[in-house]
Amino acid sequence: MKKLLLGNAAVAQGAYEAGVHFVSSYPGTPSTEITECMAAYPANEVYVEWAPNEKVAAEAVVGAAIAGGRAMSCCKHVGLNVMADPIFTDSYIGVNGGAVFCVADDPGMHSSQNEQDSRHYARAAKMPMLEPSDSAECKEYTKLAFDLSEQFDTPVFIRLSTRVSHSQSLVEIGQRKNRDVKPYEKNIKKNVMMPANAIARHVVVEQRTDELKKYSETTALNTVENNGSKIGVITAGISYQYAKEALGGNVNYLKLGMVYPLPEKLLKDFAASCDEVYVIEELDPFIEDICRSLGIDVKGKECFTMLGEYTPSMIASAVLGKAPAEFDKPDEIVPARPPVLCPGCPHRGTFFVLKKLGLTVSGDIGCYTLGAVAPLASVDTTICMGASISAAHGMAKVRGREFNNKLVSVIGDSTFMHSGITALSDIVYNKGCNTIIILDNSITGMTGHQDNPTTGKTIRGEATKQVDLIKLCEALGVEHIAVADPFDVKNFEKVVKEEVARDDVSVIIAQRPCALLKTVKYTGHCEINTEKCRKCKLCMKLGCPAISVDGEGTVRIDKTQCNGCGLCVSVCPFGAIEKQD
Amino acid sequence: MSKTSTNIMIVGVGGQGTLLASRILGNAVILAGHDVKVSEVHGMSQRGGSVVTYVKYGEAVHSPIIDKGEADIILAFERLEAYRALPWLKKGGKIIVNDQKINPMPVITGAMEYPEGIIEKLSEKADVTALDALSLAEKAGSIKAVNVVLIGVMAKNTDIEHDKWIETVKSTVPPKFLDINIKAFELGYNYNP
């Protein structure tokens, strides 16, 4: 039976069919649905969890594999940075049950803070990496990755990109092959990575890479399609699909399903069979550089950009000199529609106050990064998960007390659990005086509502123990902890003023659930009473997508956008906004 | 470039239900025996930003994305998004647009103006069907069914048979809302400009 599946869902199906026992991940677009889909399979067949961060997830997977289970962790490209520590050493340890690490890159940065190319990790960690180009391959490659992992005693990477993860195509659904967890045997030389043992394991790793190179020469993952052309194209992943559409039968293809290690002889032979060879790969010249190091004359980044996503027409133009299709354009500049905080978003109240107080805001990764967008434009910095707290620590130490008294960190509940805790302990330990606002919206929001250690529910929706943020902060040594509702704007402002002025570290827990949660039931909508409205436009400073001003300066609320959250009602100084049922 | 596929682009504002529309379309073309690829965008752009879904079907589909000048149909859930998507429309292609206006943030903050007369401007360059799909959805029983109304209008413009669409709607939407969605689909399918 064939089904239309997202690439991510197909990876999950592949892992399921391969008999995976254990899956642990932290959500991250564009990888999140893999783990969500895993949780749809029966609990007695697959154990699935959200871990507090990628490092924890990867370590759990390493342990599960050492213990004899087939295990997988999935993350986005920047999540792999967090995972890197255990993975580099797991490469030395190898596996018992198969271990697969699935990483989804985001060329074009649809939902990311950078555009890194994760293929470099395969080379750096000396681990094989497979790269599917559509959903059917997602499933097949994932299954194969578990076999390769056990065959070569190595963890294996699957690399996806947004257009593979989030495209649906047809997949043949198969049966799960149930497997017993393999026996566990204590093996200090293999599993305890201290210098003497690691020195010996490094030898094994290099031998393994040689073996994998031999495998790459003959595996069906790497295929040549000879169309009798003088032009050759070496490509992988989504770029293969773009090239295929753009160039059809006009070129010969070497499609690489295994992007590390590369088949040196196959590359050389393929290049020798053509007069002209292009390497087509999004982001960095990874395959290109290896080709050049082998002395193969290829065309790559001199024809194709390192920025963003490719398109078939870009490839047709570069390789065949073909003009792109003609098209019409709008007669004027079309206003952009950047993402915004949703109507009813609890973060809107927080950023309204922070902006009003003119504070420097050290930001973090989540929906609340959108607090940097006009008119709120409140956030000063966004770096990576957890950096709101640690970066503010650095700022405060170099700029001193006066600066610190106008400085706050904002971090979501899930991001705080991910990597905010250690940063907060740094501030407490090193006598910092920062104020940290934990935006507790009761869920991991941006990636589409995943549970985390503060929500009291597992990935399968079962009730579980819940981390108490207040007790946690107390245990870290924070002596001033306030809980405030960001929609009670007056009180929230008062609390923020008090805490930033304090010459000691303090935490404000801004508590109000995400407006998109099913349990949150705002009703009705708000309306402007035009008789009372003095057109001061203070409500416009909320940046609510439902409120706008027409040509005459009259403020209006769009009923189809408003969810009746009432934040604007509490902000209006003239009582001119009224809640309607 | 291979021209074997029919290319449909669904555009709208995050939260308008474009993902369900693309799922119905994807499943309908499979039922009709085509190869298909559907490309969606998740994550940050869904938060009230412009959202774009590509649906391509035919004998064999390679690239999941549609290039500029290559969409046979643009199905727009909002006026400004239809206008923004114009460069992707094939010369002589069709635009189906829900005549709804949702102000983007640069308009709300007063940095830019929402362009006037978008439907008229689009009609000079393309075959445009503009309709008030919200009212039709309301007539069907819920304004949330606006996506299915629009799918109905689009369905009429494809070579996929009516009963295949109905079968797909039945298998794709939650059973609780089936009646409303069938009504919404029919109102769209039978819409006469």
Side-chain angles (χ1 to χ4, degrees):
Chain A
M1 182 194 54
K2 278 195 173 183
K3 261 175 94 174
L4 188 59
L5 289 187
L6 277 179
N8 282 347
V11 169
Q13 179 67 24
Y16 176 72
E17 289 180 17
V20 69
H21 301 103
F22 181 94
V23 178
S24 179
S25 309
Y26 183 80
T29 313
S31 73
T32 311
E33 298 82 4
I34 306 171
T35 307
E36 287 183 322
C37 289
M38 288 302 334
Y41 297 110
N44 60 357
E45 292 183 322
V46 194
Y47 172 83
V48 187
E49 67 174 27
W50 290 127
N53 69 31
E54 294 86 352
K55 180 175 182 286
V56 171
E59 288 157 353
V61 160
V62 172
I66 287 174
R70 284 195 156 188
M72 178 170 77
S73 185
C74 310
C75 62
K76 68 183 295 170
H77 56 323
V78 288
L80 184 54
N81 302 337
V82 182
M83 260 189 197
D85 193 7
I87 283 186
F88 274 68
T89 301
D90 190 35
S91 176
Y92 280 35
I93 291 174
V95 301
N96 179 15
V100 172
F101 295 97
C102 187
V103 54
D105 284 3
D106 190 16
M109 291 179 276
H110 295 276
S111 205
S112 302
Q113 66 269 40
N114 77 27
E115 205 171 17
Q116 77 189 36
D117 188 330
S118 296
R119 292 177 299 173
H120 298 295
Y121 273 101
R123 196 175 188 185
K126 301 169 192 284
M127 280 163 56
M129 179 178 266
L130 313 186
E131 183 170 6
S133 72
D134 63 14
S135 298
E137 288 182 358
C138 281
K139 194 198 92 169
E140 290 311 319
Y141 287 18
T142 306
K143 281 174 82 170
L144 181 63
F146 282 101
D147 292 340
L148 285 180
S149 174
E150 291 172 5
Q151 185 186 337
F152 289 93
D153 193 9
T154 176
V156 176
F157 280 123
I158 300 272
R159 187 221 186 195
L160 308 171
S161 59
T162 300
R163 295 296 179 185
V164 172
S165 284
H166 287 165
S167 289
Q168 301 178 59
S169 55
L170 292 169
V171 179
E172 184 71 41
I173 303 297
Q175 294 293 314
R176 175 174 170 90
K177 189 176 174 198
N178 278 311
R179 324 172 158 262
D180 293 333
V181 171
K182 288 184 173 180
Y184 170 74
E185 282 168 30
K186 184 162 178 162
N187 187 343
I188 291 176
K189 285 201 154 89
K190 187 168 186 282
N191 294 334
V192 180
M193 283 303 95
M194 55 189 182
N197 294 344
I199 288 166
R201 290 303 299 173
H202 189 185
V203 177
V204 175
V205 169
E206 298 305 333
Q207 285 165 350
R208 183 181 73 202
T209 302
D210 287 341
E211 292 300 314
L212 282 160
K213 275 184 186 165
K214 280 183 206 151
Y215 172 83
S216 75
E217 298 286 354
T218 54
T219 171
L221 287 164
N222 301 327
T223 52
V224 172
E225 182 186 323
N226 191 335
N227 292 314
S229 171
K230 292 285 169 201
I231 307 174
V233 164
I234 301 170
T235 185
I238 194 65
S239 300
Y240 166 75
Q241 299 291 352
Y242 296 155
K244 193 76 180 142
E245 177 155 319
L247 310 171
N250 291 312
V251 302
N252 302 336
Y253 298 90
L254 171 53
K255 177 185 182 292
L256 299 166
M258 185 169 183
V259 291
Y260 192 82
L262 288 174
E264 296 177 2
K265 184 169 181 305
L266 187 60
L267 287 167
K268 285 180 182 165
D269 290 350
F270 178 76
S273 73
C274 307
D275 292 346
E276 199 179 16
V277 179
Y278 291 86
V279 177
I280 304 179
E281 53 186 332
E282 288 177 332
L283 303 180
D284 295 347
F286 182 80
I287 298 169
E288 181 186 339
D289 284 351
I290 292 176
C291 285
R292 288 191 199 280
S293 74
L294 295 170
I296 303 171
D297 181 26
V298 294
K299 292 183 181 170
K301 293 301 168 187
E302 67 267 46
C303 308
F304 299 100
T305 176
M306 283 199 248
L307 311 175
E309 297 186 285
Y310 289 178
T311 67
S313 66
M314 194 189 269
I315 293 168
S317 160
V319 178
L320 303 177
K322 203 169 163 182
E326 284 182 27
F327 55 86
D328 289 309
K329 288 180 196 153
D331 303 324
E332 61 217 286
I333 296 168
V334 178
R337 192 186 298 276
V340 289
L341 294 174
C342 303
C345 177
H347 307 324
R348 180 168 286 110
T350 302
F351 288 119
F352 177 77
V353 169
L354 300 183
K355 170 92 171 169
K356 185 179 172 194
L357 297 176
L359 301 180
T360 300
V361 178
S362 178
D364 222 301
I365 306 288
C367 289
Y368 47 89
T369 309
L370 295 171
V373 179
L376 291 164
S378 175
V379 174
D380 285 65
T381 55
T382 298
I383 307 158
C384 65
M385 297 284 285
S388 59
I389 301 177
S390 20
H393 175 59
M395 288 177 183
K397 288 291 180 189
V398 297
R399 298 205 70 88
R401 180 181 289 184
E402 202 180 321
F403 186 83
N404 193 24
N405 284 350
K406 297 216 95 178
L407 172 67
V408 291
S409 301
V410 291
I411 184 166
D413 48 342
S414 184
T415 308
F416 182 69
M417 292 308 298
H418 180 286
S419 40
I421 303 168
T422 43
L424 182 54
S425 74
D426 185 33
I427 292 178
V428 174
Y429 167 53
N430 289 305
K431 302 181 179 181
C433 302
N434 298 62
T435 300
I436 288 95
I437 304 179
I438 300 176
L439 306 167
D440 181 9
N441 65 346
S442 316
I443 201 76
T444 312
M446 177 61 90
T447 44
H449 287 178
Q450 290 74 31
D451 281 291
N452 67 54
T454 69
T455 66
K457 273 189 198 159
T458 68
I459 190 170
R460 291 187 186 270
E462 298 153 344
T464 184
K465 288 179 182 169
Q466 190 172 6
V467 169
D468 183 327
L469 286 173
I470 297 173
K471 283 187 184 161
L472 174 60
C473 294
E474 279 172 357
L476 288 170
V478 179
E479 287 171 14
H480 311 282
I481 302 166
V483 179
D485 177 359
F487 271 24
D488 182 352
V489 174
K490 271 186 195 141
N491 179 59
F492 193 77
E493 184 179 332
K494 180 174 150 276
V495 170
V496 173
K497 272 183 175 163
E498 280 168 11
E499 297 306 329
V500 289
R502 200 187 287 282
D503 282 335
D504 193 3
V505 57
S506 59
V507 169
I508 301 167
I509 300 177
Q511 218 164 47
R512 179 167 277 260
C514 173
L516 300 183
L517 281 172
K518 281 190 179 137
T519 47
V520 175
K521 291 190 165 48
Y522 294 121
T523 55
H525 64 276
C526 300
E527 263 181 29
I528 308 283
N529 182 331
T530 43
E531 282 174 19
K532 288 190 191 166
C533 177
R534 300 205 200 160
K535 301 184 180 178
C536 74
K537 295 184 190 153
L538 186 64
C539 55
M540 294 299 299
K541 294 194 173 164
L542 290 169
C544 176
I547 313 175
S548 58
V549 181
D550 69 11
E552 280 81 55
T554 306
V555 182
R556 296 185 187 283
I557 294 179
D558 180 349
K559 263 204 283 189
T560 65
Q561 294 284 304
C562 177
N563 67 355
C565 80
L567 176 64
C568 55
V569 176
S570 65
V571 163
C572 179
F574 307 108
I577 308 181
E578 292 161 1
K579 179 83 187 279
Q580 308 290 324
D581 291 326
Chain B
M1 218 157 284
S2 56
K3 287 286 177 195
T4 49
S5 62
T6 299
N7 301 338
I8 298 171
M9 193 167 155
I10 303 176
V11 299
V13 178
Q16 276 193 305
T18 54
L19 283 186
L20 179 69
S22 67
R23 295 233 156 112
I24 294 174
L25 176 54
N27 286 327
V29 298
I30 294 177
L31 203 59
H34 298 288
D35 186 24
V36 63
K37 282 193 176 159
V38 180
S39 184
E40 308 167 347
V41 170
H42 300 211
M44 185 177 258
S45 2
Q46 277 182 299
R47 301 276 172 260
S50 300
V51 286
V52 176
T53 304
Y54 306 110
V55 181
K56 299 174 74 170
Y57 65 93
E59 247 176 69
V61 181
H62 295 293
S63 160
I65 61 162
I66 298 173
D67 258 309
K68 283 182 179 167
E70 305 227 320
D72 296 283
I73 301 176
I74 289 174
L75 182 63
F77 281 48
E78 197 267 354
R79 254 188 269 163
L80 187 66
E81 296 312 310
Y83 202 28
R84 191 191 314 286
L86 178 64
W88 277 263
L89 190 69
K90 192 177 278 180
K91 284 280 190 180
K94 182 162 188 70
I95 299 179
I96 298 161
V97 51
N98 177 26
D99 195 6
Q100 189 185 353
K101 174 182 172 182
I102 301 175
N103 284 326
M105 203 41 74
V107 171
I108 289 173
T109 59
M112 287 188 81
E113 278 181 27
Y114 193 100
E116 295 290 329
I118 289 177
I119 304 293
E120 294 72 20
K121 287 172 187 166
L122 286 174
S123 300
E124 287 169 18
K125 302 178 200 282
D127 173 12
V128 177
T129 301
L131 71 154
D132 179 359
L134 272 180
S135 303
L136 290 180
E138 216 162 6
K139 209 165 138 189
S142 165
I143 56 164
K144 286 192 176 155
V146 65
N147 46 12
V148 182
V149 171
L150 288 165
I151 280 289
V153 182
M154 199 217 55
K156 195 70 176 281
N157 289 281
T158 64
D159 51 9
I160 299 164
E161 297 142 22
H162 180 266
D163 59 335
K164 293 222 161 55
W165 286 103
I166 295 295
E167 203 181 323
T168 308
V169 173
K170 281 182 184 166
S171 65
T172 315
V173 307
K176 212 165 95 183
F177 302 112
L178 183 60
D179 287 351
I180 290 174
N181 281 305
I182 293 285
K183 261 189 223 164
F185 179 85
E186 295 292 2
L187 284 168
Y189 196 85
N190 297 314
Y191 175 75
N192 270 317

